[in-house]
Amino acid sequence: MSTEKKVAIITGGASGIGFAFTRSLIEAGYAVVIADMAGADKAAATLKNEGFDVIGVEADVTSVDDTKKMVAAAVETFGGLDLLVNNAGIFTSLKLKPFDQIEPSEWMKVMEVNTLGPFLCAKAALPELRKSSAGRIINIASTSQMKGAPFMLHYTASKGAVISFTRSLARELGADNITVNAIAPGFTLSDGVLATGMEEVMGDVVRKTSRSIPRDQVPDDLTGALLFLASDGAAFITGQTIAVDGGSYFL
Ligand SMILES: NC(=O)c1ccc[n+]([C@@H]2O[C@H](COP(=O)([O-])OP(=O)(O)OC[C@H]3O[C@@H](n4cnc5c(N)ncnc54)[C@H](O)[C@@H]3O)[C@@H](O)[C@H]2O)c1
């Protein structure tokens, strides 16, 4: 099947911030592939029942085969690919700890999902994005990387890499009419954050001492930046990172 709609893949799109991205894009008229290692089919079924063009693909972003599979599914079902959102990441399952207590295996796992993952997804998506009239890659970073945040050195280092990756890939793909940008969320009450009790540890500090707008950040706060970067109006913006954090960090 082919569609006149623009087509997006959202990694980690079955829950949390990724699900808010999924909903905002389908409501904006995109056909969407939810690529997630857990819950992709279930999330897609819910939205399909509401009449949207969406499919779920069980995919681990650290697997070359799975990243190829998610792109093949986009082409097979919707006829191509215009937008890749690299959202899947390890964050909410991490235990805060001093850096000298982080095991090398844990460091490697975070790097694998948060940096190898976007690289493999971009590689798999590139041939189809080149065929699009306006290809887009949007990577999800974090303002923790910009401010420096203690007790999650592997995570902040991985998100620093995401921003470097964004800038350099923008340089490589500009001539293909593909823009590459990043969104850096502040501490956001996603499903994962709410499930792990992180909010109790960090919520008050962030709200009261860090933000210009002293309220909780929720996944829907991030969708405006996503839709803007995906839009035709952002065709000449590339290599940039937009911080969406209630005015906590100023670029
Ligand atoms: N929540 C925050 O405060 C916050 C702040 C800054 C940045 N971020 C970033 O935003 C993104 C989403 O965060 P969230 O809070 O919604 O997380 P979450 O834990 O609520 O959801 C993450 C989603 O990614 C999926 N996923 C994890 N590993 C995967 C893999 N290897 N392959 C495919 N899917 C995988 C999970 O199944 C889940 O659906 C992450 O990149 C995170 O680092 C989150």
PDB file of all heavy atoms in Angstrom, residues 11-18 35-38 59-62 86-92 113-114 140-143 155 159 184-193, ligand 1:
ATOM      1  N   THR A  11      11.123   5.544  17.078  1.00  0.00           N
ATOM      2  CA  THR A  11      11.664   4.474  17.912  1.00  0.00           C
ATOM      3  C   THR A  11      11.271   4.744  19.367  1.00  0.00           C
ATOM      4  O   THR A  11      11.182   5.904  19.798  1.00  0.00           O
ATOM      5  CB  THR A  11      13.197   4.348  17.769  1.00  0.00           C
ATOM      6  OG1 THR A  11      13.824   5.485  18.364  1.00  0.00           O
ATOM      7  CG2 THR A  11      13.615   4.218  16.310  1.00  0.00           C
ATOM      8  N   GLY A  12      10.996   3.669  20.087  1.00  0.00           N
ATOM      9  CA  GLY A  12      10.509   3.842  21.458  1.00  0.00           C
ATOM     10  C   GLY A  12       9.166   4.562  21.473  1.00  0.00           C
ATOM     11  O   GLY A  12       8.816   5.225  22.455  1.00  0.00           O
ATOM     12  N   GLY A  13       8.397   4.389  20.396  1.00  0.00           N
ATOM     13  CA  GLY A  13       7.159   5.155  20.237  1.00  0.00           C
ATOM     14  C   GLY A  13       5.941   4.564  20.917  1.00  0.00           C
ATOM     15  O   GLY A  13       4.834   5.087  20.787  1.00  0.00           O
ATOM     16  N   ALA A  14       6.136   3.462  21.669  1.00  0.00           N
ATOM     17  CA  ALA A  14       4.985   2.793  22.275  1.00  0.00           C
ATOM     18  C   ALA A  14       4.599   3.375  23.629  1.00  0.00           C
ATOM     19  O   ALA A  14       3.490   3.151  24.112  1.00  0.00           O
ATOM     20  CB  ALA A  14       5.273   1.302  22.427  1.00  0.00           C
ATOM     21  N   SER A  15       5.510   4.109  24.257  1.00  0.00           N
ATOM     22  CA  SER A  15       5.169   4.637  25.586  1.00  0.00           C
ATOM     23  C   SER A  15       5.918   5.933  25.844  1.00  0.00           C
ATOM     24  O   SER A  15       6.795   6.332  25.059  1.00  0.00           O
ATOM     25  CB  SER A  15       5.501   3.605  26.677  1.00  0.00           C
ATOM     26  OG  SER A  15       6.904   3.489  26.804  1.00  0.00           O
ATOM     27  N   GLY A  16       5.562   6.584  26.934  1.00  0.00           N
ATOM     28  CA  GLY A  16       6.280   7.770  27.388  1.00  0.00           C
ATOM     29  C   GLY A  16       6.288   8.903  26.368  1.00  0.00           C
ATOM     30  O   GLY A  16       5.305   9.164  25.666  1.00  0.00           O
ATOM     31  N   ILE A  17       7.429   9.571  26.278  1.00  0.00           N
ATOM     32  CA  ILE A  17       7.576  10.698  25.350  1.00  0.00           C
ATOM     33  C   ILE A  17       7.327  10.223  23.918  1.00  0.00           C
ATOM     34  O   ILE A  17       6.696  10.908  23.111  1.00  0.00           O
ATOM     35  CB  ILE A  17       8.995  11.305  25.500  1.00  0.00           C
ATOM     36  CG1 ILE A  17       9.133  11.978  26.882  1.00  0.00           C
ATOM     37  CG2 ILE A  17       9.291  12.290  24.384  1.00  0.00           C
ATOM     38  CD1 ILE A  17      10.565  12.374  27.246  1.00  0.00           C
ATOM     39  N   GLY A  18       7.820   9.022  23.603  1.00  0.00           N
ATOM     40  CA  GLY A  18       7.659   8.479  22.250  1.00  0.00           C
ATOM     41  C   GLY A  18       6.193   8.329  21.863  1.00  0.00           C
ATOM     42  O   GLY A  18       5.808   8.601  20.720  1.00  0.00           O
ATOM     43  N   ALA A  35       8.196   1.794  16.339  1.00  0.00           N
ATOM     44  CA  ALA A  35       9.239   0.755  16.441  1.00  0.00           C
ATOM     45  C   ALA A  35       9.704   0.711  17.885  1.00  0.00           C
ATOM     46  O   ALA A  35      10.344   1.654  18.355  1.00  0.00           O
ATOM     47  CB  ALA A  35      10.392   1.092  15.501  1.00  0.00           C
ATOM     48  N   ASP A  36       9.363  -0.340  18.561  1.00  0.00           N
ATOM     49  CA  ASP A  36       9.681  -0.403  19.993  1.00  0.00           C
ATOM     50  C   ASP A  36       9.984  -1.849  20.359  1.00  0.00           C
ATOM     51  O   ASP A  36       9.396  -2.775  19.790  1.00  0.00           O
ATOM     52  CB  ASP A  36       8.487   0.123  20.822  1.00  0.00           C
ATOM     53  CG  ASP A  36       8.896   0.595  22.214  1.00  0.00           C
ATOM     54  OD1 ASP A  36       9.508  -0.198  22.960  1.00  0.00           O
ATOM     55  OD2 ASP A  36       8.604   1.750  22.553  1.00  0.00           O
ATOM     56  N   MET A  37      10.870  -2.046  21.329  1.00  0.00           N
ATOM     57  CA  MET A  37      11.179  -3.420  21.733  1.00  0.00           C
ATOM     58  C   MET A  37      10.080  -4.005  22.628  1.00  0.00           C
ATOM     59  O   MET A  37      10.044  -5.214  22.859  1.00  0.00           O
ATOM     60  CB  MET A  37      12.554  -3.528  22.395  1.00  0.00           C
ATOM     61  CG  MET A  37      12.695  -2.795  23.686  1.00  0.00           C
ATOM     62  SD  MET A  37      14.418  -2.763  24.233  1.00  0.00           S
ATOM     63  CE  MET A  37      14.679  -4.499  24.568  1.00  0.00           C
ATOM     64  N   ALA A  38       9.168  -3.149  23.098  1.00  0.00           N
ATOM     65  CA  ALA A  38       8.061  -3.635  23.935  1.00  0.00           C
ATOM     66  C   ALA A  38       6.794  -2.839  23.644  1.00  0.00           C
ATOM     67  O   ALA A  38       6.827  -1.602  23.631  1.00  0.00           O
ATOM     68  CB  ALA A  38       8.428  -3.490  25.416  1.00  0.00           C
ATOM     69  N   ALA A  59      10.946  -3.973  17.553  1.00  0.00           N
ATOM     70  CA  ALA A  59      12.314  -3.770  17.069  1.00  0.00           C
ATOM     71  C   ALA A  59      13.198  -3.238  18.184  1.00  0.00           C
ATOM     72  O   ALA A  59      12.816  -2.348  18.936  1.00  0.00           O
ATOM     73  CB  ALA A  59      12.306  -2.763  15.909  1.00  0.00           C
ATOM     74  N   ASP A  60      14.404  -3.820  18.252  1.00  0.00           N
ATOM     75  CA  ASP A  60      15.426  -3.341  19.176  1.00  0.00           C
ATOM     76  C   ASP A  60      16.379  -2.467  18.358  1.00  0.00           C
ATOM     77  O   ASP A  60      16.965  -2.944  17.375  1.00  0.00           O
ATOM     78  CB  ASP A  60      16.165  -4.552  19.766  1.00  0.00           C
ATOM     79  CG  ASP A  60      17.257  -4.159  20.746  1.00  0.00           C
ATOM     80  OD1 ASP A  60      17.722  -3.002  20.710  1.00  0.00           O
ATOM     81  OD2 ASP A  60      17.660  -5.024  21.547  1.00  0.00           O
ATOM     82  N   VAL A  61      16.541  -1.211  18.743  1.00  0.00           N
ATOM     83  CA  VAL A  61      17.347  -0.293  17.925  1.00  0.00           C
ATOM     84  C   VAL A  61      18.824  -0.667  17.883  1.00  0.00           C
ATOM     85  O   VAL A  61      19.575  -0.126  17.072  1.00  0.00           O
ATOM     86  CB  VAL A  61      17.198   1.181  18.386  1.00  0.00           C
ATOM     87  CG1 VAL A  61      15.785   1.679  18.175  1.00  0.00           C
ATOM     88  CG2 VAL A  61      17.654   1.367  19.838  1.00  0.00           C
ATOM     89  N   THR A  62      19.256  -1.601  18.735  1.00  0.00           N
ATOM     90  CA  THR A  62      20.657  -2.006  18.700  1.00  0.00           C
ATOM     91  C   THR A  62      20.892  -3.186  17.759  1.00  0.00           C
ATOM     92  O   THR A  62      22.010  -3.671  17.648  1.00  0.00           O
ATOM     93  CB  THR A  62      21.188  -2.365  20.110  1.00  0.00           C
ATOM     94  OG1 THR A  62      20.530  -3.550  20.567  1.00  0.00           O
ATOM     95  CG2 THR A  62      20.934  -1.239  21.088  1.00  0.00           C
ATOM     96  N   ASN A  86      14.538   9.427  16.423  1.00  0.00           N
ATOM     97  CA  ASN A  86      15.366   8.564  17.276  1.00  0.00           C
ATOM     98  C   ASN A  86      15.090   8.900  18.736  1.00  0.00           C
ATOM     99  O   ASN A  86      15.779   9.733  19.346  1.00  0.00           O
ATOM    100  CB  ASN A  86      16.849   8.795  16.952  1.00  0.00           C
ATOM    101  CG  ASN A  86      17.313   7.984  15.770  1.00  0.00           C
ATOM    102  OD1 ASN A  86      16.964   6.803  15.626  1.00  0.00           O
ATOM    103  ND2 ASN A  86      18.106   8.598  14.907  1.00  0.00           N
ATOM    104  N   ASN A  87      14.058   8.270  19.273  1.00  0.00           N
ATOM    105  CA  ASN A  87      13.614   8.570  20.644  1.00  0.00           C
ATOM    106  C   ASN A  87      13.980   7.476  21.650  1.00  0.00           C
ATOM    107  O   ASN A  87      14.186   7.770  22.826  1.00  0.00           O
ATOM    108  CB  ASN A  87      12.094   8.785  20.625  1.00  0.00           C
ATOM    109  CG  ASN A  87      11.487   8.750  22.013  1.00  0.00           C
ATOM    110  OD1 ASN A  87      11.581   9.706  22.769  1.00  0.00           O
ATOM    111  ND2 ASN A  87      10.881   7.614  22.366  1.00  0.00           N
ATOM    112  N   ALA A  88      14.071   6.221  21.191  1.00  0.00           N
ATOM    113  CA  ALA A  88      14.327   5.113  22.137  1.00  0.00           C
ATOM    114  C   ALA A  88      15.618   5.384  22.894  1.00  0.00           C
ATOM    115  O   ALA A  88      16.626   5.776  22.307  1.00  0.00           O
ATOM    116  CB  ALA A  88      14.440   3.792  21.378  1.00  0.00           C
ATOM    117  N   GLY A  89      15.567   5.181  24.186  1.00  0.00           N
ATOM    118  CA  GLY A  89      16.779   5.403  24.966  1.00  0.00           C
ATOM    119  C   GLY A  89      16.667   4.760  26.324  1.00  0.00           C
ATOM    120  O   GLY A  89      15.574   4.480  26.805  1.00  0.00           O
ATOM    121  N   ILE A  90      17.830   4.533  26.932  1.00  0.00           N
ATOM    122  CA  ILE A  90      17.845   4.070  28.324  1.00  0.00           C
ATOM    123  C   ILE A  90      17.985   5.305  29.200  1.00  0.00           C
ATOM    124  O   ILE A  90      18.916   6.084  29.051  1.00  0.00           O
ATOM    125  CB  ILE A  90      19.048   3.149  28.598  1.00  0.00           C
ATOM    126  CG1 ILE A  90      18.917   1.854  27.809  1.00  0.00           C
ATOM    127  CG2 ILE A  90      19.166   2.864  30.096  1.00  0.00           C
ATOM    128  CD1 ILE A  90      19.923   0.792  28.224  1.00  0.00           C
ATOM    129  N   PHE A  91      17.045   5.517  30.058  1.00  0.00           N
ATOM    130  CA  PHE A  91      17.115   6.604  31.049  1.00  0.00           C
ATOM    131  C   PHE A  91      16.395   6.191  32.323  1.00  0.00           C
ATOM    132  O   PHE A  91      16.985   6.127  33.385  1.00  0.00           O
ATOM    133  CB  PHE A  91      16.516   7.905  30.478  1.00  0.00           C
ATOM    134  CG  PHE A  91      16.339   8.989  31.523  1.00  0.00           C
ATOM    135  CD1 PHE A  91      17.410   9.423  32.289  1.00  0.00           C
ATOM    136  CD2 PHE A  91      15.091   9.578  31.752  1.00  0.00           C
ATOM    137  CE1 PHE A  91      17.257  10.415  33.260  1.00  0.00           C
ATOM    138  CE2 PHE A  91      14.932  10.565  32.727  1.00  0.00           C
ATOM    139  CZ  PHE A  91      16.007  10.982  33.479  1.00  0.00           C
ATOM    140  N   THR A  92      15.113   5.851  32.150  1.00  0.00           N
ATOM    141  CA  THR A  92      14.293   5.690  33.349  1.00  0.00           C
ATOM    142  C   THR A  92      14.652   4.427  34.136  1.00  0.00           C
ATOM    143  O   THR A  92      14.310   4.333  35.314  1.00  0.00           O
ATOM    144  CB  THR A  92      12.801   5.677  32.973  1.00  0.00           C
ATOM    145  OG1 THR A  92      12.559   4.637  32.034  1.00  0.00           O
ATOM    146  CG2 THR A  92      12.379   6.994  32.347  1.00  0.00           C
ATOM    147  N   VAL A 113      22.469   1.495  23.437  1.00  0.00           N
ATOM    148  CA  VAL A 113      21.093   1.890  23.094  1.00  0.00           C
ATOM    149  C   VAL A 113      21.046   3.361  22.668  1.00  0.00           C
ATOM    150  O   VAL A 113      20.422   3.710  21.664  1.00  0.00           O
ATOM    151  CB  VAL A 113      20.133   1.637  24.283  1.00  0.00           C
ATOM    152  CG1 VAL A 113      18.725   2.105  23.935  1.00  0.00           C
ATOM    153  CG2 VAL A 113      20.134   0.157  24.665  1.00  0.00           C
ATOM    154  N   ASN A 114      21.723   4.243  23.424  1.00  0.00           N
ATOM    155  CA  ASN A 114      21.549   5.687  23.207  1.00  0.00           C
ATOM    156  C   ASN A 114      22.403   6.257  22.076  1.00  0.00           C
ATOM    157  O   ASN A 114      22.104   7.338  21.578  1.00  0.00           O
ATOM    158  CB  ASN A 114      21.862   6.459  24.499  1.00  0.00           C
ATOM    159  CG  ASN A 114      20.849   6.181  25.603  1.00  0.00           C
ATOM    160  OD1 ASN A 114      19.972   5.351  25.445  1.00  0.00           O
ATOM    161  ND2 ASN A 114      20.972   6.863  26.716  1.00  0.00           N
ATOM    162  N   ILE A 140      16.538  12.571  19.965  1.00  0.00           N
ATOM    163  CA  ILE A 140      16.150  13.055  21.295  1.00  0.00           C
ATOM    164  C   ILE A 140      17.371  13.007  22.217  1.00  0.00           C
ATOM    165  O   ILE A 140      17.890  11.926  22.536  1.00  0.00           O
ATOM    166  CB  ILE A 140      14.964  12.242  21.871  1.00  0.00           C
ATOM    167  CG1 ILE A 140      13.808  12.230  20.860  1.00  0.00           C
ATOM    168  CG2 ILE A 140      14.528  12.834  23.211  1.00  0.00           C
ATOM    169  CD1 ILE A 140      13.368  13.608  20.327  1.00  0.00           C
ATOM    170  N   ALA A 141      17.805  14.200  22.609  1.00  0.00           N
ATOM    171  CA  ALA A 141      18.979  14.336  23.487  1.00  0.00           C
ATOM    172  C   ALA A 141      18.491  14.546  24.923  1.00  0.00           C
ATOM    173  O   ALA A 141      17.560  13.865  25.369  1.00  0.00           O
ATOM    174  CB  ALA A 141      19.831  15.504  22.982  1.00  0.00           C
ATOM    175  N   SER A 142      19.084  15.497  25.631  1.00  0.00           N
ATOM    176  CA  SER A 142      18.662  15.787  27.009  1.00  0.00           C
ATOM    177  C   SER A 142      19.362  17.052  27.482  1.00  0.00           C
ATOM    178  O   SER A 142      20.526  17.281  27.134  1.00  0.00           O
ATOM    179  CB  SER A 142      19.052  14.628  27.926  1.00  0.00           C
ATOM    180  OG  SER A 142      18.903  15.017  29.278  1.00  0.00           O
ATOM    181  N   THR A 143      18.662  17.874  28.279  1.00  0.00           N
ATOM    182  CA  THR A 143      19.358  19.058  28.811  1.00  0.00           C
ATOM    183  C   THR A 143      20.314  18.665  29.943  1.00  0.00           C
ATOM    184  O   THR A 143      21.144  19.470  30.328  1.00  0.00           O
ATOM    185  CB  THR A 143      18.375  20.133  29.323  1.00  0.00           C
ATOM    186  OG1 THR A 143      17.425  19.518  30.168  1.00  0.00           O
ATOM    187  CG2 THR A 143      17.692  20.854  28.190  1.00  0.00           C
ATOM    188  N   TYR A 155      24.845   8.245  31.094  1.00  0.00           N
ATOM    189  CA  TYR A 155      23.700   8.811  30.384  1.00  0.00           C
ATOM    190  C   TYR A 155      24.036  10.179  29.793  1.00  0.00           C
ATOM    191  O   TYR A 155      23.788  10.437  28.613  1.00  0.00           O
ATOM    192  CB  TYR A 155      22.507   8.925  31.345  1.00  0.00           C
ATOM    193  CG  TYR A 155      21.288   9.530  30.693  1.00  0.00           C
ATOM    194  CD1 TYR A 155      20.535   8.798  29.768  1.00  0.00           C
ATOM    195  CD2 TYR A 155      20.896  10.842  30.968  1.00  0.00           C
ATOM    196  CE1 TYR A 155      19.427   9.368  29.153  1.00  0.00           C
ATOM    197  CE2 TYR A 155      19.795  11.404  30.363  1.00  0.00           C
ATOM    198  CZ  TYR A 155      19.061  10.658  29.451  1.00  0.00           C
ATOM    199  OH  TYR A 155      17.969  11.218  28.825  1.00  0.00           O
ATOM    200  N   LYS A 159      24.175  11.321  25.790  1.00  0.00           N
ATOM    201  CA  LYS A 159      23.352  12.369  25.180  1.00  0.00           C
ATOM    202  C   LYS A 159      24.227  13.473  24.587  1.00  0.00           C
ATOM    203  O   LYS A 159      23.831  14.142  23.629  1.00  0.00           O
ATOM    204  CB  LYS A 159      22.348  12.915  26.192  1.00  0.00           C
ATOM    205  CG  LYS A 159      21.280  11.888  26.584  1.00  0.00           C
ATOM    206  CD  LYS A 159      20.464  11.427  25.374  1.00  0.00           C
ATOM    207  CE  LYS A 159      19.334  10.492  25.743  1.00  0.00           C
ATOM    208  NZ  LYS A 159      18.509  10.080  24.607  1.00  0.00           N
ATOM    209  N   ALA A 184      16.146  18.558  23.075  1.00  0.00           N
ATOM    210  CA  ALA A 184      16.684  18.215  24.393  1.00  0.00           C
ATOM    211  C   ALA A 184      15.607  18.474  25.451  1.00  0.00           C
ATOM    212  O   ALA A 184      15.333  19.633  25.790  1.00  0.00           O
ATOM    213  CB  ALA A 184      17.924  19.054  24.679  1.00  0.00           C
ATOM    214  N   PRO A 185      14.966  17.405  25.927  1.00  0.00           N
ATOM    215  CA  PRO A 185      13.940  17.602  26.961  1.00  0.00           C
ATOM    216  C   PRO A 185      14.570  17.833  28.327  1.00  0.00           C
ATOM    217  O   PRO A 185      15.650  17.319  28.628  1.00  0.00           O
ATOM    218  CB  PRO A 185      13.182  16.259  26.984  1.00  0.00           C
ATOM    219  CG  PRO A 185      13.678  15.469  25.817  1.00  0.00           C
ATOM    220  CD  PRO A 185      15.044  15.999  25.501  1.00  0.00           C
ATOM    221  N   GLY A 186      13.861  18.601  29.160  1.00  0.00           N
ATOM    222  CA  GLY A 186      14.187  18.611  30.579  1.00  0.00           C
ATOM    223  C   GLY A 186      13.547  17.399  31.238  1.00  0.00           C
ATOM    224  O   GLY A 186      12.978  16.526  30.560  1.00  0.00           O
ATOM    225  N   PHE A 187      13.621  17.355  32.559  1.00  0.00           N
ATOM    226  CA  PHE A 187      13.062  16.208  33.303  1.00  0.00           C
ATOM    227  C   PHE A 187      11.550  16.133  33.058  1.00  0.00           C
ATOM    228  O   PHE A 187      10.808  17.062  33.395  1.00  0.00           O
ATOM    229  CB  PHE A 187      13.364  16.377  34.796  1.00  0.00           C
ATOM    230  CG  PHE A 187      12.899  15.243  35.639  1.00  0.00           C
ATOM    231  CD1 PHE A 187      13.384  13.962  35.430  1.00  0.00           C
ATOM    232  CD2 PHE A 187      11.967  15.436  36.648  1.00  0.00           C
ATOM    233  CE1 PHE A 187      12.950  12.900  36.209  1.00  0.00           C
ATOM    234  CE2 PHE A 187      11.531  14.386  37.442  1.00  0.00           C
ATOM    235  CZ  PHE A 187      12.032  13.117  37.208  1.00  0.00           C
ATOM    236  N   THR A 188      11.112  15.033  32.459  1.00  0.00           N
ATOM    237  CA  THR A 188       9.742  14.923  31.942  1.00  0.00           C
ATOM    238  C   THR A 188       9.017  13.753  32.591  1.00  0.00           C
ATOM    239  O   THR A 188       9.569  12.644  32.669  1.00  0.00           O
ATOM    240  CB  THR A 188       9.791  14.682  30.405  1.00  0.00           C
ATOM    241  OG1 THR A 188      10.557  15.721  29.803  1.00  0.00           O
ATOM    242  CG2 THR A 188       8.404  14.656  29.800  1.00  0.00           C
ATOM    243  N   LEU A 189       7.796  13.979  32.995  1.00  0.00           N
ATOM    244  CA  LEU A 189       7.037  12.911  33.654  1.00  0.00           C
ATOM    245  C   LEU A 189       6.488  11.940  32.606  1.00  0.00           C
ATOM    246  O   LEU A 189       5.302  11.919  32.288  1.00  0.00           O
ATOM    247  CB  LEU A 189       5.909  13.506  34.501  1.00  0.00           C
ATOM    248  CG  LEU A 189       6.361  14.475  35.594  1.00  0.00           C
ATOM    249  CD1 LEU A 189       5.218  14.817  36.531  1.00  0.00           C
ATOM    250  CD2 LEU A 189       7.550  13.923  36.392  1.00  0.00           C
ATOM    251  N   SER A 190       7.390  11.129  32.080  1.00  0.00           N
ATOM    252  CA  SER A 190       7.008  10.071  31.126  1.00  0.00           C
ATOM    253  C   SER A 190       6.518   8.856  31.903  1.00  0.00           C
ATOM    254  O   SER A 190       6.640   8.806  33.135  1.00  0.00           O
ATOM    255  CB  SER A 190       8.229   9.681  30.282  1.00  0.00           C
ATOM    256  OG  SER A 190       9.227   9.140  31.131  1.00  0.00           O
ATOM    257  N   ASP A 191       6.006   7.861  31.178  1.00  0.00           N
ATOM    258  CA  ASP A 191       5.557   6.623  31.844  1.00  0.00           C
ATOM    259  C   ASP A 191       6.694   6.012  32.662  1.00  0.00           C
ATOM    260  O   ASP A 191       6.502   5.565  33.793  1.00  0.00           O
ATOM    261  CB  ASP A 191       5.099   5.589  30.797  1.00  0.00           C
ATOM    262  CG  ASP A 191       3.868   6.052  30.048  1.00  0.00           C
ATOM    263  OD1 ASP A 191       3.099   6.860  30.608  1.00  0.00           O
ATOM    264  OD2 ASP A 191       3.681   5.620  28.891  1.00  0.00           O
ATOM    265  N   GLY A 192       7.880   5.987  32.054  1.00  0.00           N
ATOM    266  CA  GLY A 192       9.032   5.372  32.725  1.00  0.00           C
ATOM    267  C   GLY A 192       9.403   6.116  33.997  1.00  0.00           C
ATOM    268  O   GLY A 192       9.670   5.505  35.035  1.00  0.00           O
ATOM    269  N   VAL A 193       9.415   7.440  33.940  1.00  0.00           N
ATOM    270  CA  VAL A 193       9.757   8.243  35.131  1.00  0.00           C
ATOM    271  C   VAL A 193       8.730   7.996  36.230  1.00  0.00           C
ATOM    272  O   VAL A 193       9.080   7.781  37.401  1.00  0.00           O
ATOM    273  CB  VAL A 193       9.818   9.745  34.754  1.00  0.00           C
ATOM    274  CG1 VAL A 193       9.759  10.621  35.997  1.00  0.00           C
ATOM    275  CG2 VAL A 193      11.086  10.046  33.960  1.00  0.00           C
TER     276      VAL A 193
HETATM  277  N1  LIG B   1      11.842  11.476  30.764  1.00  0.00           N
HETATM  278  C1  LIG B   1      12.814  12.393  30.880  1.00  0.00           C
HETATM  279  O1  LIG B   1      12.928  13.110  31.895  1.00  0.00           O
HETATM  280  C2  LIG B   1      13.781  12.596  29.750  1.00  0.00           C
HETATM  281  C3  LIG B   1      14.586  13.747  29.789  1.00  0.00           C
HETATM  282  C4  LIG B   1      15.489  13.962  28.753  1.00  0.00           C
HETATM  283  C5  LIG B   1      15.579  13.057  27.714  1.00  0.00           C
HETATM  284  N2  LIG B   1      14.775  11.947  27.707  1.00  0.00           N
HETATM  285  C6  LIG B   1      14.908  11.028  26.578  1.00  0.00           C
HETATM  286  O2  LIG B   1      13.656  10.877  25.940  1.00  0.00           O
HETATM  287  C7  LIG B   1      13.552   9.560  25.393  1.00  0.00           C
HETATM  288  C8  LIG B   1      12.275   8.888  25.905  1.00  0.00           C
HETATM  289  O3  LIG B   1      12.328   8.882  27.330  1.00  0.00           O
HETATM  290  P1  LIG B   1      11.082   8.394  28.224  1.00  0.00           P
HETATM  291  O4  LIG B   1      11.231   9.076  29.530  1.00  0.00           O
HETATM  292  O5  LIG B   1       9.816   8.484  27.468  1.00  0.00           O
HETATM  293  O6  LIG B   1      11.479   6.872  28.414  1.00  0.00           O
HETATM  294  P2  LIG B   1      10.557   5.597  28.752  1.00  0.00           P
HETATM  295  O7  LIG B   1      11.466   4.693  29.501  1.00  0.00           O
HETATM  296  O8  LIG B   1       9.268   6.042  29.391  1.00  0.00           O
HETATM  297  O9  LIG B   1      10.239   5.014  27.299  1.00  0.00           O
HETATM  298  C9  LIG B   1      11.299   4.566  26.484  1.00  0.00           C
HETATM  299  C10 LIG B   1      10.712   3.735  25.349  1.00  0.00           C
HETATM  300  O10 LIG B   1      11.821   3.269  24.558  1.00  0.00           O
HETATM  301  C11 LIG B   1      11.710   1.863  24.403  1.00  0.00           C
HETATM  302  N3  LIG B   1      13.060   1.284  24.268  1.00  0.00           N
HETATM  303  C12 LIG B   1      14.031   1.222  25.216  1.00  0.00           C
HETATM  304  N4  LIG B   1      15.126   0.598  24.721  1.00  0.00           N
HETATM  305  C13 LIG B   1      14.832   0.271  23.433  1.00  0.00           C
HETATM  306  C14 LIG B   1      15.538  -0.400  22.402  1.00  0.00           C
HETATM  307  N5  LIG B   1      16.781  -0.895  22.602  1.00  0.00           N
HETATM  308  N6  LIG B   1      14.939  -0.565  21.197  1.00  0.00           N
HETATM  309  C15 LIG B   1      13.679  -0.106  20.983  1.00  0.00           C
HETATM  310  N7  LIG B   1      12.947   0.521  21.936  1.00  0.00           N
HETATM  311  C16 LIG B   1      13.517   0.700  23.141  1.00  0.00           C
HETATM  312  C17 LIG B   1      10.988   1.363  25.633  1.00  0.00           C
HETATM  313  O11 LIG B   1      10.368   0.097  25.403  1.00  0.00           O
HETATM  314  C18 LIG B   1       9.976   2.492  25.853  1.00  0.00           C
HETATM  315  O12 LIG B   1       8.792   2.293  25.108  1.00  0.00           O
HETATM  316  C19 LIG B   1      14.829   8.828  25.785  1.00  0.00           C
HETATM  317  O13 LIG B   1      15.774   8.927  24.736  1.00  0.00           O
HETATM  318  C20 LIG B   1      15.311   9.621  26.997  1.00  0.00           C
HETATM  319  O14 LIG B   1      16.697   9.515  27.196  1.00  0.00           O
HETATM  320  C21 LIG B   1      13.880  11.692  28.711  1.00  0.00           C
END
